[in-house]
């Protein structure tokens, strides 16, 4: 089965067999400081620190304190999240 989205966090994607896993997803996003061999095939590449990017994503999903407790399920504001991801990409 194929994943709809794969997010590769903080990896060079150079070690096989795991390095080519993003190619098995419908779309994939790379979050890494350095270039990877798959940057040109990714749906989105975010050049940044994983901690910083994921903190912003979790804030967008209204999951503050996510690193301290497991939150209850809730509805996500998709417009807010889309804008946050766009801002994230444009700010780099």
């Amino acid at each position: 089965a194929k994943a709809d989205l794969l997010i590769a966090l903080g990896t060079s994607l150079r070690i096989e067999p795991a390095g080519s896993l993003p190619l098995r997803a419908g779309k994939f996003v790379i979050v890494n400081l350095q270039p990877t061999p798959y940057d040109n095939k990714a749906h989105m590449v975010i050049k940044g620190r994983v901690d910083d990017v994921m903190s912003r994503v979790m804030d967008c999903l209204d999951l503050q304190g996510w690193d301290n407790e497991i939150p209850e399920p809730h509805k996500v504001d998709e417009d807010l999240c889309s804008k946050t991801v766009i801002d994230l990409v444009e700010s780099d």
Side-chain angles (χ1 to χ4, degrees), residues 7-90:
I7 303 173
L9 299 169
T11 176
S12 66
L13 297 173
R14 295 183 190 281
I15 306 299
E16 292 299 333
S20 59
L21 281 177
L23 299 177
R24 299 185 64 147
K27 293 181 181 178
F28 67 96
V29 175
I30 297 171
V31 179
N32 202 43
L33 289 171
Q34 291 83 29
T36 78
Y38 299 106
D39 285 1
N40 62 338
K41 295 179 179 156
H43 184 70
M44 178 185 294
V45 176
I46 301 172
K47 298 292 183 192
R49 293 179 32 151
V50 171
D51 290 352
D52 297 337
V53 172
M54 290 309 298
S55 289
R56 289 183 67 182
V57 168
M58 298 306 272
D59 287 345
C60 158
L61 296 173
D62 197 26
L63 294 173
Q64 293 84 2
W66 57 272
D67 53 345
N68 296 322
E69 61 187 59
I70 298 173
E72 294 296 317
H74 64 283
K75 184 171 177 9
V76 173
D77 182 340
E78 292 180 19
D79 291 334
L80 173 63
C81 290
S82 295
K83 183 178 183 326
T84 302
V85 169
I86 290 168
D87 290 345
L88 228 173
V89 173
E90 291 177 350

